Amino acid sequence: MSDHASDRIDLAGLREVLDGPWAEVRNAHRKHLDERFLPVYGETGDQARERISRLITELPVELGIAAGFPTEYGGRADIGGSIVATEMLAQVDLSLMVKAGVQWGLFGGAVAALGTRRHHDAYLRDIVAGKILGCFAMTETGHGSDVQQLRTTCTYDPQTQTFDLHTPHEAARKDYIGNAARDGRMAVVFAQLIADGQHHGVHAWLVPIRDARGNPLPGVSIGDAGPKAGLLGVDNGRLSFDHVQVPRDMLLDRYGEVAEDGTYSSPIANDSRRFFTMLGTLVRGRVSVGGAAAAATKSALTIAVRYGDIRRQFGAPDAGGEVLLNDYLAHQRKLLPALATTYALHFAQAELVAALHAAQSGGEPADEHRQRELESRAAGLKAAQTWHATRTIQMCREACGGAGYLAENRLPSLKADTDVFTTFEGDNTVLLQLVAKGLLTGYRDEFGSLDGWGRASFVAEQVRAMVLERTAARSLIERLIGAVPGRDEEVAVTDRGWHLKIFEDRERHLLDGAVRRLRNGAATKKDRPFDIFNDVQDHVLTVAAAHIDRVTLEAFVAGIEAVADPAVQALLSRVCDLYALSVIEAHKGWFLEHGRFTPARAKAITGVLNGLLKELRPQLRTLVDGFAIPESWLHCAILREEPSRQQAMAAHDAAGDQQAVPA
């Protein structure tokens, strides 16, 4: 226990803020998911798969990931609740979360989003109830992120009124498919639709892959993806199809239909636009992955902070004993900025979940501009959250020393299980390119492959309008920025308006520079569109990262403004200061290089940041306790053993002191 416990604020208010509007879902998971659902350290891959397959049927359906389905099929029509359920499962067992996410998020979600009433009536009830286990077969060995170029074909034959589903070569094999190696009975398979001799782009079919006994159906080849670094309980597999006949009505035809005679029709005429509209309906999976990564990060930080509050190392000359790890500035430099970023991303995620819930709960797609904005934000936040998880969980492992390397202390499994998230549900680098593309083109109606960059007409006014678009509390943000004096040097480095202004200024400057470079490239390399983009790829990725920094800060600021408890609001405001200054300090070279502030101000920022670390040190434990992670879910031996070990050492030291006193 920390020596600063008396400085803590009441936790109830902080937890209420962090639990947000779906507190009911969070509390239901805390109550229902007991020790039975926790990871088993040291189990084999087969044991993990067996355990997870059994537990998936014992998860709460009504308040779980399946809550997002319509009520008539066993859900609650609660999109936001289903995403929050994913976050809660991630704190229990990431294999269980991924397995459930594949079943209800990807497989079931694709049937719900891409299918029509006949598919829903025939399959959704059993999918929600876990009676039909399925998988989501999109990624191919040769094409992962570039889904538009998938090689699997599905060709319609009017004489048999069936599709011929075929894997033409090894690189077209469906790979890394969750639920495929062991449990999946059906798959949503993405392939190129060919009808009446014409290609109509990528569509999805609902395809049985195993019989009732679990054997592959004729023409379906199923393999195991092999041992993985983590997520041992998820049965990732490989699927190939050798001219498998698929009935016409198994095409998930919400966005593209094939008549009996082979005539193709779609409510969206353009192939590229139709493709991106289809993928846009599946954005929920990307939001869930980002939230799950953030949830795992909270678990790691809770373990590291609590360990640092009981573990002592080295003694100060004027101290009676050894010093707590959390009292060292170097340790605070590790934990507190990461914790502040985790809080910032929490508010950004909460805002995104609320926006997605509002957009999708009506049963109809959001307007196109709003849909593109949500897709872009989901892509960028997923990248930010998963990269933050990778960095922070490693840092927490190191902060716990050798103990952090032991499986019984949870951190190794958190690290291994989340590592794939940076390339799962979209490679992060590709996702940042998607964000940049939205900023640079103003969410054009038609998105092509990367060779389309060279044909884009970059309009400065369009770009400027897009970068100023707010994602949270527009009037509040503008008021705070408007209150900043003209000279930055006259503003305190903790001024919230200045933080918002300088984040926005960095994004705008980077974006303007990228536009200029692309225009220059288009003037000199107009016949080489790939080279035009490739030459500035590093620049546009930096633009996207700066955009997500700005969006995250705005969400944090807006979230703090809505807090009613003054003490909680004051604490969160200081955490927000730390987040903003940490980002500014990390990019100090850019700000100095571009004359945004002087070297003296740069030094002042570091000094204020270090002061914030000392100020927030007494609240370290409070900040992680605010996540309200049940004690059993931490599943960490050192948090149980270290206090008694420290007491034994203290007793030993005291006994030694007594023996040294002369008679």
Side-chain angles (χ1 to χ4, degrees):
M1 179 112 7
S2 169
D3 293 340
H4 305 276
S6 61
D7 295 323
R8 295 179 196 148
I9 64 169
D10 177 39
L11 276 174
L14 180 59
R15 287 178 172 176
E16 182 180 354
V17 169
L18 295 179
D19 274 358
W22 283 280
E24 176 191 15
V25 174
R26 297 185 191 277
N27 286 326
H29 282 76
R30 290 167 183 145
K31 179 180 179 181
H32 183 81
L33 301 184
D34 55 27
E35 286 82 355
R36 293 174 299 142
F37 293 89
L38 295 174
V40 176
Y41 300 133
E43 66 185 347
T44 65
D46 288 340
Q47 290 170 334
R49 290 181 177 186
E50 176 68 31
R51 178 177 58 82
I52 294 299
S53 295
R54 171 175 49 82
L55 290 175
I56 194 86
T57 63
E58 300 178 25
L59 288 173
V61 172
E62 186 181 0
L63 289 173
I65 296 177
F69 291 99
T71 54
E72 60 189 302
Y73 301 114
R76 295 210 319 173
D78 187 356
I79 307 299
S82 69
I83 298 172
V84 169
T86 304
E87 297 174 16
M88 301 309 290
L89 272 183
Q91 292 182 334
V92 179
D93 187 327
L94 283 152
S95 281
L96 187 59
M97 183 280 295
V98 171
K99 183 86 167 178
V102 169
Q103 170 66 19
W104 291 303
L106 294 177
F107 171 61
V111 174
L114 302 180
T116 49
R117 184 80 191 195
R118 71 174 184 274
H119 303 112
H120 299 169
D121 289 346
Y123 301 106
L124 273 189
R125 289 183 187 87
D126 285 343
I127 290 173
V128 171
K131 295 179 181 178
I132 297 177
L133 295 181
C135 43
F136 184 84
M138 177 183 282
T139 300
E140 294 180 359
T141 305
H143 284 86
S145 298
D146 191 6
V147 179
Q148 242 178 326
Q149 304 303 320
L150 295 179
R151 297 294 190 252
T152 302
T153 59
C154 211
T155 306
Y156 183 69
D157 181 357
Q159 293 185 342
T160 62
Q161 293 191 23
T162 62
F163 287 95
D164 180 82
L165 177 63
H166 186 58
T167 304
H169 47 73
E170 190 73 5
R173 176 187 66 191
K174 299 298 180 181
D175 217 341
Y176 319 117
I177 310 302
N179 261 4
R182 171 192 164 106
D183 293 328
R185 294 299 185 265
M186 300 187 82
V188 171
V189 180
F190 289 79
Q192 301 286 349
L193 190 158
I194 303 171
D196 199 22
Q198 296 183 18
H199 286 71
H200 298 282
V202 174
H203 289 64
W205 288 258
L206 189 55
V207 181
I209 59 173
R210 284 186 172 91
D211 62 23
R213 295 185 177 181
N215 299 312
L217 289 170
V220 180
S221 297
I222 303 177
D224 197 305
K228 307 188 298 290
L231 298 174
L232 299 185
V234 183
D235 52 320
N236 293 92
R238 294 164 174 154
L239 299 173
S240 294
F241 305 95
D242 185 10
H243 297 289
V244 174
Q245 282 198 332
V246 181
R248 184 177 66 89
D249 62 4
M250 297 299 268
L251 169 66
L252 298 176
D253 55 357
R254 181 178 182 182
Y255 295 103
E257 184 178 5
V258 175
E260 292 183 4
D261 64 357
T263 302
Y264 176 83
S265 61
S266 171
I268 304 174
N270 182 274
D271 287 353
S272 291
R273 186 175 176 188
R274 180 172 59 250
F275 170 74
F276 281 98
T277 299
M278 290 172 59
L279 291 193
T281 64
L282 306 175
V283 69
R284 200 185 314 171
R286 203 162 275 166
V287 178
S288 296
V289 168
T297 306
K298 292 171 187 174
S299 296
L301 281 165
T302 300
I303 291 169
V305 166
R306 288 184 55 178
Y307 184 65
D309 255 359
I310 55 180
R311 183 76 162 99
R312 296 178 181 272
Q313 194 73 274
F314 301 105
D318 57 346
E322 294 181 311
V323 178
L324 286 171
L325 292 183
N326 283 347
D327 285 337
Y328 286 103
L329 176 62
H331 213 67
Q332 295 165 13
R333 269 276 181 177
K334 293 178 182 178
L335 295 175
L336 271 165
L339 187 53
T341 300
T342 302
Y343 263 77
L345 290 170
H346 173 94
F347 282 93
Q349 172 76 1
E351 182 191 86
L352 177 59
V353 170
L356 186 66
H357 178 83
Q360 295 190 352
S361 293
E364 296 297 327
D367 68 85
E368 189 166 344
H369 172 78
R370 183 61 173 154
Q371 181 68 24
R372 296 297 188 209
E373 193 277 328
L374 281 173
E375 291 168 19
S376 178
R377 192 156 29 126
L381 279 177
K382 183 266 181 181
Q385 288 168 310
T386 54
W387 270 327
H388 177 63
T390 297
R391 292 189 301 266
T392 302
I393 294 171
Q394 171 63 23
M395 178 273 293
C396 289
R397 204 292 298 160
E398 294 179 22
C400 292
Y405 195 61
L406 297 178
E408 66 178 4
N409 292 321
R410 190 70 187 280
L411 293 168
S413 63
L414 288 175
K415 179 181 175 183
D417 289 345
T418 57
D419 190 55
V420 73
F421 283 19
T422 58
T423 51
F424 179 40
E425 281 292 304
D427 178 278
N428 281 359
T429 299
V430 175
L431 293 183
L432 283 189
Q433 290 179 168
L434 187 153
V435 175
K437 194 171 200 177
L439 292 168
L440 288 164
T441 64
Y443 304 103
R444 286 187 307 159
D445 289 341
E446 179 178 350
F447 280 42
S449 56
L450 288 182
D451 62 4
W453 287 81
R455 296 192 298 269
S457 174
F458 299 110
V459 181
E461 290 74 18
Q462 241 185 350
V463 169
R464 193 170 295 114
M466 290 309 304
V467 75
L468 289 175
E469 182 162 336
R470 308 290 182 205
T471 58
R474 181 186 181 97
S475 60
L476 168 67
I477 305 302
E478 291 181 345
R479 174 169 55 81
L480 290 170
I481 291 177
V484 179
R487 288 176 53 83
D488 286 352
E489 299 299 319
E490 299 172 1
V491 185
V493 297
T494 54
D495 183 277
R496 185 72 69 240
W498 182 71
H499 296 159
L500 292 162
K501 178 176 176 289
I502 201 165
F503 272 54
E504 183 178 280
D505 178 63
R506 176 170 172 260
E507 179 188 356
R508 188 200 305 265
H509 182 97
L510 287 165
L511 185 54
D512 287 346
V515 170
R516 284 194 301 272
R517 289 183 64 188
L518 284 164
R519 280 174 171 162
N520 291 338
T524 59
K525 305 172 185 175
K526 57 185 177 181
D527 296 327
R528 291 178 290 160
F530 174 80
D531 290 341
I532 294 170
F533 173 73
N534 198 46
D535 287 350
V536 298
Q537 190 175 26
D538 59 333
H539 195 140
V540 298
L541 291 174
T542 304
V543 171
H547 172 73
I548 297 305
D549 285 343
R550 193 260 294 176
V551 166
T552 300
L553 177 61
E554 288 185 356
F556 200 177
V557 172
I560 293 170
E561 182 72 10
V563 174
D565 186 320
V568 173
Q569 189 179 61
L571 174 61
L572 291 176
S573 183
R574 299 309 274 164
V575 175
C576 187
D577 287 340
L578 180 58
Y579 166 69
L581 292 179
S582 296
V583 174
I584 293 169
E585 186 185 54
H587 298 286
K588 190 161 51 177
W590 185 92
F591 288 112
L592 287 168
E593 180 181 327
H594 291 82
R596 291 318 194 259
F597 48 66
T598 64
R601 191 166 180 81
K603 291 178 182 178
I605 288 169
T606 297
V608 170
L609 197 155
N610 283 339
L612 277 171
L613 298 178
K614 294 178 181 178
E615 181 181 338
L616 287 170
R617 161 62 184 105
Q619 306 294 356
L620 247 178
R621 176 67 184 269
T622 299
L623 289 169
V624 295
D625 285 351
F627 299 140
I629 304 173
E631 188 74 24
S632 63
W633 288 12
L634 295 175
H635 203 30
C636 179
I638 50 174
L639 298 185
R640 298 189 296 269
E641 298 172 358
E642 192 64 24
S644 59
R645 189 178 296 140
Q646 292 291 333
Q647 290 171 4
M649 289 176 61
H652 179 272
D653 291 344
D657 291 342
Q658 290 174 3
Q659 292 174 5
V661 175

